[in-house]
Amino acid sequence: GKVVAPAVRVQIEQARLRLAKFAELQAIRNQEGWVIQETEVDVTRAMNVTMQVEGATVYFYGRIDRIDYHPKTGRYAIWDY
């Protein structure tokens, strides 16, 4: 519409600030050597994807928003937005 409610203007500004900060942090991760390897990865229970956390086995299933990889260290980062 022609008139934007004040609450909507606040939400737009908050989104703008969050996206700007995210872009800044993403640039830093890129400079550190992190590479986006996959996005929107569906993981089913049948795939039996696991990870060890403090001695316990954690099973993953659902959708992984993003997987980053660091070639020099061989480490992965799993993102859930």
Side-chain angles (χ1 to χ4, degrees):
K2 292 181 181 181
V3 178
V4 178
V8 173
R9 285 197 298 269
V10 168
Q11 290 173 342
I12 290 169
E13 181 62 13
Q14 287 176 332
R16 188 189 69 72
L17 291 171
R18 286 184 186 134
L19 287 170
K21 186 62 175 179
F22 185 83
E24 178 183 321
L25 295 172
Q26 178 59 40
I28 292 168
R29 286 183 63 79
N30 185 273
Q31 290 171 352
E32 293 172 343
W34 288 96
V35 178
I36 299 172
Q37 186 173 21
E38 298 282 342
T39 59
E40 299 294 321
V41 178
D42 288 318
V43 180
T44 67
R45 290 179 194 243
M47 295 168 82
N48 201 31
V49 176
T50 64
M51 172 175 122
Q52 292 296 314
V53 177
E54 296 181 3
T57 301
V58 177
Y59 292 85
F60 282 94
Y61 60 91
R63 176 167 288 166
I64 297 173
D65 293 323
R66 183 171 127 186
I67 301 171
D68 289 359
Y69 178 67
H70 195 285
K72 287 186 179 178
T73 65
R75 295 176 63 200
Y76 289 88
I78 297 172
W79 291 68
D80 181 26
Y81 294 133

